[in-house]
Amino acid sequence: MAERTEVVFVDGVRTPFGRAGEKGMYWQTRADDLVVKAMKGLLDRNPGLDPAEIDDVAIAATTQTGDQGLTLGRTTALLAGLPRSVPGYAIDRMCAGAMTSVTTVAGAIAFGAYDFALAGGVEHMGRHPMGFDADPNPRFLTERLVSAEALNMGNTAERIHDRFPQLTKERSDRYALRSQQKLAAAYDGEHIQPDLVSVAVKTDAGWGLADRDEAPRPETTLEGLSTLRTPFRPHGRVTAGNSSGLNDGATVSLIASEQAAVRAGLTPKMRLVSFAFMGVEPEIMGIGPVPSTEKALRKAGLTIDDIGLFELNEAFAVQVLSLLDHFGIDDDDPRVNPWGGAIAVGHPLASSGVRLMIQLARQFELHPEVRYGLTAMCVGLGQGGSVIWENPHFDGKATR
Amino acid sequence: MSVDTSQLVELSADEVVTHSYVRDVNLASGGVLALVTLDNDRDHRRPSTLGPATLIEFSSTMDVLRGRAAAGEIQAIGVTGKPYFLAAGADLSKVGQIPSRDAGKQMAMLGHDALGKLHDAGVPTFVFINGLALGGGMEIALNADYRTVDATAPALAFPEVFLGIIPGWGGAWLLPNLIGIENALKVIVENPLKNNRTLKAKEAFDLGIADAIFGSASFLEESLAWADKVVHGAVRVTRPNVPGKIERAVKWDAAIGIARKTLQSRIGTVAKSPYAALDLLAGAKRASREEGFAAEDEALADLVSGDQFRASIYAFDLVQKRAKHPAGAPSPTSRGRSRKSASSAQDSWRRSSRCCSSASSRCRSSSPTSIRRASTRASPASARPSTSCRPRVASAATSRTD
């Protein structure tokens, strides 16, 4: 009989995130190679782990064709030099791909089927624009199951602005500005760099080395943000400045049973408490994390007041604000995305979930007074995903 | 340019130039490594080769980098190649056309001058051998202070003696002084005469040609991290095969003597290049770097403008180029090649024929030692468009990218 166990996040790394497109640093770099670099980087810094003991490899991508096709978990494991006995598979839940990789292998670990698993995601949005080559069922339109507008994420963000008039463009812009500033401060504090795996990138001007994120615009100003055009609607509120961009990048994490990790001499960085995914109206997919967070809290027997740190994916500023408003949290609450978020660092769709976890894990280390943290994100076609983590460094003196 | 290249300029009019692209790379523990990428902007079917224009560009690139090193802007210099290739050596179509001894000497001196700028550059220099390295490609690596090699590099070799010349851009002096005389004899004389045998990456590493070996999944990243450690003293490079006093006093001349006798008994004394190589290797025992390079200049000038090399290139073309691409045959472009590479039949014929990588094949017929035989009667191997004569390296590269 398999033994049920606690599930821990042992470690996670990511490639620097690049800007998608011909001018982006990864234009000539394959998506699967991004995963391989991250995977090797993760294994190299956890020498205590015998690669043969990895029970599975789950890698997510939204558009699973071309260099993101062919069962990424298996191909990247082979390419990274893992033993051939290590199996692997691919995952897709759009933006929550990597998050779903983690929760899926976590289920297998909790059940006792696995001891160690690699979970991550990749998106090369330069090579694979979102929804490219997809063939939505015509019933979506003929039966008005999902409005055509809901397939465009920017429109769904505009609709959240419509639904919650208190979420103004000014608040979104201000939030976006803070995201840029907080990320720049985190870079200055060397909080981001330790978990980046450098990637050698081929360009027309020779080989280079990608060793930091390409997307951040620390020079952003409120004035600059207010003048950006609103591409999704005339006189709209969603701009390139208060949304995440189109990016390339990959993340990989090591998830394990607590006993196996300790046996291998590894120090877990987070303990999994609960997770939940929920569906919402696709037309306002951005509010997805609200019900999924409520469900995850309910499953954990916690309330929102128990959460000391939030890592929320900033697909759109308004979408994060809708969650904060729902739970009565201030826009500038220091517990929320202390190192900025996807608006600044970028959002390579299926890779972002593990980025949230990487950052939460590092913040746990710096905040032993915090016991619980939340990673949450919205998902296209109307979903939300939330994972609640416990801080193993918690010193018991917390007020929260 | 400190070397007179007047006679080479005409040769390089239609050269496929391998460019020296430079990008700065931040080292993890601080400092900047200027990374040179050798790339001819063609796909994997046309390996990077080194002609006069290529060397001149490399030389001026190195001048800029040495200036930046002196100014304290960079803390290291690295060189690597486009995917799958460091460099496949001298551009045979150019070397084969050298009109005079003077031009041959200019070519030798140009190579020494350009590649030699990797030595005493003011900061540590590294060559990351990311793929195929033949002849001049190997000499780029040897002129640098440190080398890493990709474990999957398909071939490392000095095919010069096989073609009737000698490693004349530093190889004949640098190699024995790096890996010992017996190993150098094997790589420079013995292997070329054994049907142009090449080294695998691991063999090259074991011989001491490379200081570190890394897998291909993140070869460049690991090489840069290793270079960082060398620059900052965290890694000390040891080279057990560097010849010591005893080897120089006792082993060196004896090894040369044995090799000479073996050569004489096996191939006679008509073919010049193996003996020229032996003389250079013998001289490398005492010669300074400058003296060694000067000796190479003279030897290469003699051989590259001589009859034997011409005949060798002619034979080489017959069994490599003509066997694969018979004159007048339809262009391979009609078989659905990509638009980018497709051009006129003549163009594609010229492009592939210039590729020096065929020198790495284990073709049995065009060794200089068999020139005499080949010229008096058609060797069976050379008459047959044998599949064993296909460039192994190029086909390996093709299958890797498929």
Side-chain angles (χ1 to χ4, degrees):
Chain A
M1 182 71 191
E3 193 186 345
R4 314 280 160 115
T5 77
E6 292 284 341
V7 179
V8 293
F9 177 97
V10 177
D11 196 9
V13 297
R14 66 179 177 93
T15 68
F17 288 171
R19 283 191 185 146
E22 268 180 61
K23 290 178 189 160
M25 60 189 183
Y26 293 134
W27 181 242
Q28 297 188 37
T29 305
R30 291 175 59 97
D32 48 7
D33 278 338
L34 290 177
V35 180
V36 169
K37 310 280 182 185
M39 201 177 283
K40 273 188 67 75
L42 180 68
L43 296 175
D44 285 351
R45 73 180 207 177
N46 290 283
L49 173 69
D50 174 2
E53 283 197 59
I54 296 170
D55 293 296
D56 218 336
V57 178
I59 300 295
T62 300
T63 310
Q64 299 193 0
T65 60
D67 57 346
Q68 292 185 172
L70 214 69
T71 313
L72 275 171
R74 179 61 175 164
T75 53
T76 55
L78 288 174
L79 289 165
L82 291 182
R84 288 173 184 235
S85 56
V86 177
Y89 59 107
I91 288 242
D92 175 19
R93 198 201 293 271
M94 288 193 171
C95 308
M99 178 178 273
T100 305
S101 298
V102 169
T103 57
T104 305
V105 301
I109 292 167
F111 181 71
Y114 296 173
D115 286 330
F116 295 99
L118 300 183
V122 61
E123 206 74 48
H124 201 305
M125 297 178 76
R127 293 181 171 206
H128 307 287
M130 189 176 184
F132 183 74
D133 235 7
D135 176 18
N137 193 308
R139 285 185 51 225
F140 279 120
L141 291 181
T142 54
E143 298 175 25
R144 301 182 189 214
L145 291 175
V146 175
S147 110
E149 276 206 340
L151 297 178
N152 180 320
M153 297 305 136
N155 287 333
T156 70
E158 289 284 3
R159 281 182 171 237
I160 298 181
H161 274 294
D162 293 345
R163 186 164 300 205
F164 303 105
Q166 77 274 21
L167 300 178
T168 59
K169 177 168 189 295
E170 289 63 40
R171 273 179 75 183
S172 279
D173 283 350
R174 233 175 64 77
Y175 183 88
L177 175 69
R178 288 283 299 139
S179 183
Q180 297 282 2
Q181 291 169 342
K182 286 188 285 188
L183 179 72
Y187 255 106
D188 290 343
E190 294 275 328
H191 294 310
I192 305 293
Q193 295 90 327
D195 296 316
L196 296 182
V197 174
S198 298
V199 177
V201 288
K202 180 81 172 61
T203 68
D204 287 338
W207 288 99
L209 192 69
D211 55 3
R212 53 187 294 143
D213 297 309
E214 193 178 27
R217 297 176 186 271
E219 71 286 355
T220 302
T221 62
L222 215 47
E223 295 71 51
L225 284 173
S226 64
T227 60
L228 292 175
R229 48 182 217 99
T230 56
F232 303 106
R233 186 189 283 184
H235 305 291
R237 288 138 297 190
V238 178
T239 68
N242 59 31
S243 322
S244 58
L246 303 178
N247 303 95
D248 310 328
T251 58
V252 181
S253 64
L254 173 59
I255 310 295
S257 81
E258 190 158 28
Q259 291 96 315
V262 171
R263 225 184 307 127
L266 301 165
T267 314
K269 293 182 169 177
M270 303 198 287
R271 192 177 296 119
L272 181 64
V273 178
S274 72
F275 65 84
F277 295 93
M278 284 290 281
V280 297
E281 292 167 60
E283 291 78 7
I284 46 166
M285 65 94 203
I287 64 159
V290 172
S292 65
T293 300
E294 284 182 330
K295 185 174 178 182
L297 286 169
R298 200 165 62 241
K299 293 271 179 193
L302 299 172
T303 70
I304 195 72
D305 299 328
D306 293 315
I307 304 297
L309 283 166
F310 295 80
E311 272 296 330
L312 307 175
N313 191 50
E314 298 166 351
F316 299 94
V318 64
Q319 160 265 319
V320 177
L321 293 174
S322 71
L323 182 139
L324 297 182
D325 266 19
H326 176 84
F327 288 111
I329 299 167
D330 191 72
D331 293 5
D332 294 329
D333 193 299
R335 294 173 298 166
V336 177
N337 292 5
W339 296 339
I343 289 172
V345 77
H347 177 27
L349 308 178
S351 72
S352 286
V354 166
R355 179 189 64 79
L356 302 176
M357 296 168 196
I358 292 169
Q359 293 192 187
L360 181 63
R362 197 160 276 278
Q363 286 154 18
F364 269 170
E365 218 175 312
L366 300 174
H367 292 281
E369 78 283 7
V370 169
R371 181 155 186 195
Y372 296 108
L374 169 73
T375 54
M377 61 202 307
C378 60
V379 186
L381 282 183
Q383 298 187 68
S386 302
V387 186
I388 297 175
W389 301 91
E390 186 180 3
N391 184 359
H393 308 285
F394 177 57
D395 58 11
K397 293 177 202 149
T399 48
R400 289 194 179 96
Chain B
M1 180 65 34
S2 53
V3 177
D4 177 18
T5 55
S6 53
Q7 303 201 38
L8 301 174
V9 173
E10 197 181 329
L11 278 181
S12 57
D14 63 343
E15 176 182 337
V16 177
V17 179
T18 299
H19 296 288
S20 301
Y21 295 107
V22 183
R23 286 190 62 178
D24 286 357
V25 168
N26 295 315
L27 297 175
S29 49
V32 173
L33 178 144
L35 183 60
V36 179
T37 304
L38 301 173
D39 192 343
N40 62 2
D41 297 340
R42 305 290 183 95
D43 68 12
H44 61 272
R45 287 182 298 241
R46 180 56 167 90
S48 302
T49 50
L50 310 172
T54 297
L55 290 170
I56 289 167
E57 180 178 327
F58 182 80
S59 179
S60 55
T61 302
M62 287 303 300
D63 286 340
V64 172
L65 295 184
R66 288 164 73 104
R68 292 182 65 200
E73 288 174 29
I74 55 175
Q75 284 65 47
I77 296 171
V79 178
T80 191
K82 70 174 186 176
Y84 307 117
F85 304 98
L86 177 62
D91 189 337
L92 277 192
S93 68
K94 300 294 162 216
V95 178
Q97 291 168 9
I98 284 193
S100 64
R101 191 184 185 283
D102 275 357
K105 187 163 176 186
Q106 280 183 9
M107 192 69 191
M109 292 176 73
L110 174 60
H112 276 128
D113 183 67
L115 306 190
K117 287 178 181 171
L118 283 165
H119 180 64
D120 272 344
V123 292
T125 59
F126 299 83
V127 171
F128 310 127
I129 308 170
N130 63 313
L132 182 79
L134 299 175
M138 286 287 275
E139 285 166 314
I140 295 173
L142 289 175
N143 273 280
D145 300 331
Y146 305 97
R147 287 151 293 278
T148 66
V149 67
D150 185 322
T152 62
L156 290 83
F158 282 102
E160 280 89 344
V161 166
F162 168 87
L163 293 167
I165 49 177
I166 48 95
W169 290 343
W173 185 86
L174 291 165
L175 194 66
N177 283 300
L178 180 69
I179 65 171
I181 185 61
E182 286 180 335
N183 290 333
L185 278 166
K186 181 184 164 184
V187 176
I188 290 180
V189 181
E190 192 180 320
N191 281 353
L193 296 182
K194 282 184 176 163
N195 302 322
N196 211 10
R197 192 172 284 189
T198 60
L199 299 173
K200 295 274 173 248
K202 179 70 168 54
E203 295 171 300
F205 170 70
D206 289 341
L207 286 174
I209 293 174
D211 301 308
I213 184 166
F214 300 111
S216 66
S218 45
F219 169 72
L220 196 49
E221 292 91 340
E222 290 185 69
S223 290
L224 288 165
W226 182 84
D228 184 21
K229 289 182 188 146
V230 172
V231 170
H232 290 91
V235 162
R236 282 181 63 94
V237 173
T238 54
R239 292 173 176 154
N241 289 347
V242 168
K245 273 189 183 150
I246 297 174
E247 173 164 350
R248 287 179 197 278
V250 182
K251 233 160 85 180
W252 201 291
D253 291 340
I256 296 281
I258 292 167
R260 195 179 299 274
K261 284 212 180 74
T262 313
L263 269 185
Q264 284 164 352
S265 70
R266 294 229 176 120
I267 64 167
T269 54
V270 173
K272 288 179 185 166
S273 69
Y275 295 99
L278 274 190
D279 292 343
L280 289 170
L281 289 170
K285 180 176 78 166
R286 283 195 206 293
S288 68
R289 191 182 184 102
E290 291 70 31
E291 290 162 354
F293 284 11
E296 288 176 4
D297 286 340
E298 299 301 330
L300 187 58
D302 287 340
L303 291 171
V304 86
S305 56
D307 292 347
Q308 290 198 350
F309 180 60
R310 293 264 167 95
S312 179
I313 287 292
Y314 178 76
F316 184 81
D317 279 352
L318 277 185
V319 298
Q320 298 293 331
K321 187 160 73 181
R322 295 293 187 192
K324 278 185 294 172
H325 308 283
S331 158
T333 53
S334 59
R335 287 191 313 218
R337 283 198 178 183
S338 75
R339 273 251 163 262
K340 190 181 168 196
S341 64
S343 53
S344 75
Q346 191 198 7
D347 198 10
S348 100
W349 173 80
R350 279 164 53 204
R351 194 164 50 237
S352 49
S353 69
R354 244 181 244 132
C355 157
C356 181
S357 74
S358 358
S360 72
S361 76
R362 299 188 181 197
C363 177
R364 294 175 178 276
S365 52
S366 64
S367 144
T369 57
S370 61
I371 288 169
R372 220 163 17 132
R373 263 186 298 135
S375 60
T376 50
R377 61 187 166 89
S379 142
S382 66
R384 188 175 59 228
S386 153
T387 49
S388 73
C389 284
R390 291 185 56 204
R392 292 155 46 79
V393 172
S395 60
T398 311
S399 62
R400 280 177 62 175
T401 47
D402 275 347

